[in-house]
Amino acid sequence: MSGKLWIVGLGPGDAAMQTPQATEALAQATDLVGYFPYVDRVAQAPGQVRHASDNREELDRARLALTLASQGRAVAVVSSGDAGVFAMASAVFEAIDQGDPAWRELDVEVVAGISAMFAAAARIGAFLGHDFCAISLSDNLKPWKLVLRRLRAAAETGLVMALYNPLSRARPWQLSEAFGVLRESLPPHTPVVFATAVSRPEEQIHVFDLAAADPARADMRTLVMVGTAATRRIERPGRSPWVYTPRFAEDAASS
Amino acid sequence: MSGKLWIVGLGPGDAAMQTPQATEALAQATDLVGYFPYVDRVAQAPGQVRHASDNREELDRARLALTLASQGRAVAVVSSGDAGVFAMASAVFEAIDQGDPAWRELDVEVVAGISAMFAAAARIGAFLGHDFCAISLSDNLKPWKLVLRRLRAAAETGLVMALYNPLSRARPWQLSEAFGVLRESLPPHTPVVFATAVSRPEEQIHVFDLAAADPARADMRTLVMVGTAATRRIERPGRSPWVYTPRFAEDAASS
């Protein structure tokens, strides 16, 4: 098989945060495949065919990309952020695992990108300065009980959290229930970040105390990050505070 | 204060994985501050002053950078990977938090980068395809008991793990003890990745079963990643397998 498949992380949105490796792959691709707002982010190259599709069709999109590559095309599947973080890379490998054995002979290259959580943490200081985790709150692909077990474990062991897909129209109550669980073990002053469209013109980043964090301020595009008992604000006169998690930690449970 | 301070993530090593934002900051800097192998990675610009220092001097290095910036210099503190992940960003904000109140008026900008775990996951497929965590095994800054509690919680709730600083000359036994704890709750076939110098000419990436993973194969520069019971290999004739973690998960504990 002579086709090529790149799975490309575009970064959070600002072209200055897209790697040269990603830019080069996009320039070489004969076909772009992806969720339409991400495909729209890529400058049109002459002769390049664009296959934009709706959300929640990851496996179909992966199979289309693999089929095109197996026909000899040079295909770039595009994701926002990093291609391997709640994005298209795992869907493509699932499709390969379950699909045509010939797909295993394709030249597949995953191109890493700047994830939303790294970009958001950088904008406000060093929020992920210590051990951390990334959890999707969506229960489309896993039981909600498991999400809650993970949130409890992260809060009880002091991991900073990046919460992806915090809610949707079909499950508007999830972030609220998640905050309820986190409030059982984290102090009321724990910083919570709501970050939307980081690095893009419409960027919005707000920091609240966990006690006052209002789930209604988030939508499906919001990344929510929750600190630990040790996460600190640095107040600045006339400007928004920096927020960081120190590198050192004590073991509250064993003291 | 007219000085400027960038805290720059250089990415894992390959120049094609360094963002244009990072390249621009490095070009504008009058002074580079960092651990010497990272400073060495930056091309020398005319007139730029290089302040390279040894490892484990993060706070001194942060204070030097802040002092230079407060004297009006344009200072870039450089880290490998992402600046906010077990790197210099949190040290700089700790130094500001504890230091001269005038430092709070400086123009500080964190420039995100491609972390080692994203680069390593991309090289072998989609290892971080589901909920995951990043934990430093170093007990320089936190009690070893707390590290073990976090590992147990991650394994028991099915988070993929990226383990930074897996051992050092002063603590050669830590990775071995960590694997012992993980083997209590993860199946023997769980994939474990040892990744060193990802994207650089001397790159080495190897995948083992947890049961057979030998801590002696890691050194202080190795990133170790541990999958979940669901993480899968895709065997390929004549080539190394792809490894990915599916997007969906069942709740083993409640079934």
Side-chain angles (χ1 to χ4, degrees):
Chain A
M1 295 219 171
S2 61
K4 170 85 189 187
L5 180 59
W6 294 275
I7 311 167
V8 179
L10 299 175
D14 180 351
M17 298 177 83
Q18 179 177 304
T19 67
Q21 188 181 31
T23 302
E24 176 66 18
L26 297 171
Q28 288 184 33
T30 59
D31 295 75
L32 293 187
V33 173
Y35 178 41
F36 67 85
Y38 305 150
V39 171
D40 284 351
R41 247 201 248 164
V42 182
Q44 175 79 59
Q48 199 172 52
V49 185
R50 299 160 88 87
H51 311 262
S53 51
D54 208 344
N55 208 351
R56 314 228 298 179
E57 297 175 5
E58 287 85 0
L59 271 183
D60 286 346
R61 195 184 293 146
R63 289 187 196 109
L64 169 65
L66 288 159
T67 301
L68 289 166
S70 66
Q71 291 164 354
R73 311 282 296 176
V75 184
V77 176
V78 295
S79 288
S80 187
D82 180 72
V85 175
F86 307 121
M88 282 300 296
S90 53
V92 170
F93 288 102
E94 279 169 42
I96 294 173
D97 200 9
Q98 301 161 6
D100 185 344
W103 287 348
R104 297 177 185 220
E105 294 168 42
L106 285 169
D107 181 6
V108 179
E109 186 179 348
V110 182
V111 178
I114 303 290
S115 61
M117 65 179 167
F118 288 2
R123 291 288 283 156
I124 57 165
F127 201 84
L128 304 174
H130 193 64
D131 299 343
F132 64 92
C133 61
I135 296 175
S136 167
L137 291 196
S138 169
D139 63 352
N140 287 333
L141 297 162
K142 68 190 170 210
W144 179 240
K145 271 192 302 191
L146 178 58
V147 176
L148 294 182
R149 284 213 302 130
R150 289 177 179 169
L151 294 176
R152 268 192 203 100
E156 287 170 5
T157 60
L159 299 180
V160 180
M161 288 170 237
L163 306 179
Y164 282 73
N165 309 310
L167 46 76
S168 73
R169 251 168 291 184
R171 44 186 181 79
W173 47 270
Q174 286 184 328
L175 184 58
S176 177
E177 195 169 320
F179 282 165
V181 161
L182 297 178
R183 285 176 185 133
E184 292 168 11
S185 44
L186 291 173
H189 64 77
T190 305
V192 173
V193 177
F194 286 60
T196 307
V198 176
S199 86
R200 294 201 288 274
E202 68 273 30
E203 172 181 292
Q204 291 216 35
I205 303 183
H206 300 286
V207 183
F208 303 97
D209 283 349
L210 177 57
D214 177 5
R217 296 188 69 124
D219 64 30
M220 57 185 291
R221 300 171 311 142
T222 310
L223 173 72
V224 177
M225 299 195 296
V226 180
T228 73
T231 304
R232 291 177 58 82
R233 284 156 210 263
I234 303 176
E235 300 297 340
R236 293 187 295 164
R239 299 168 77 176
S240 56
W242 286 313
V243 191
Y244 78 101
T245 306
R247 300 164 303 146
F248 49 85
E250 289 168 17
D251 191 352
S254 61
S255 62
Chain B
M1 295 223 174
S2 61
K4 170 86 187 186
L5 179 61
W6 294 276
I7 310 167
V8 180
L10 299 175
D14 182 350
M17 300 178 81
Q18 179 178 303
T19 68
Q21 190 181 30
T23 302
E24 177 65 19
L26 297 172
Q28 287 183 34
T30 58
D31 295 76
L32 293 186
V33 174
Y35 177 39
F36 66 86
Y38 306 150
V39 171
D40 284 350
R41 248 201 248 164
V42 181
Q44 175 78 61
Q48 200 173 52
V49 185
R50 300 160 88 86
H51 311 262
S53 52
D54 208 344
N55 207 351
R56 314 227 297 181
E57 297 175 7
E58 286 83 1
L59 271 183
D60 286 345
R61 196 185 292 147
R63 288 187 197 112
L64 169 66
L66 288 159
T67 301
L68 289 166
S70 66
Q71 290 164 354
R73 311 282 297 177
V75 183
V77 175
V78 295
S79 287
S80 186
D82 180 72
V85 176
F86 307 121
M88 282 301 296
S90 54
V92 170
F93 288 102
E94 279 170 42
I96 294 172
D97 200 8
Q98 300 161 6
D100 185 345
W103 287 348
R104 297 177 185 220
E105 294 168 42
L106 285 169
D107 181 5
V108 179
E109 187 179 348
V110 182
V111 178
I114 304 290
S115 61
M117 65 179 167
F118 288 3
R123 291 288 283 156
I124 57 166
F127 202 83
L128 304 174
H130 192 64
D131 299 343
F132 64 91
C133 62
I135 296 175
S136 168
L137 292 196
S138 170
D139 63 352
N140 286 333
L141 297 162
K142 68 191 170 209
W144 179 241
K145 271 192 301 190
L146 178 58
V147 176
L148 295 182
R149 285 213 303 131
R150 288 178 179 168
L151 294 175
R152 269 193 202 98
E156 287 169 6
T157 60
L159 298 179
V160 180
M161 288 169 238
L163 306 179
Y164 283 73
N165 310 311
L167 45 76
S168 73
R169 249 167 293 182
R171 43 185 182 81
W173 48 270
Q174 286 184 327
L175 184 58
S176 177
E177 194 170 321
F179 281 166
V181 161
L182 298 177
R183 285 178 185 132
E184 291 169 11
S185 45
L186 290 173
H189 63 77
T190 305
V192 174
V193 177
F194 286 61
T196 307
V198 176
S199 86
R200 294 201 289 275
E202 67 274 28
E203 171 181 292
Q204 291 217 35
I205 303 183
H206 300 286
V207 184
F208 304 97
D209 284 349
L210 177 57
D214 177 5
R217 296 188 68 123
D219 65 29
M220 56 185 293
R221 301 170 310 143
T222 309
L223 173 72
V224 176
M225 300 195 296
V226 180
T228 73
T231 303
R232 290 177 58 83
R233 285 157 210 261
I234 303 176
E235 299 298 339
R236 293 187 295 164
R239 299 168 75 177
S240 56
W242 285 314
V243 191
Y244 77 102
T245 306
R247 300 164 302 145
F248 49 85
E250 290 169 16
D251 192 352
S254 60
S255 62

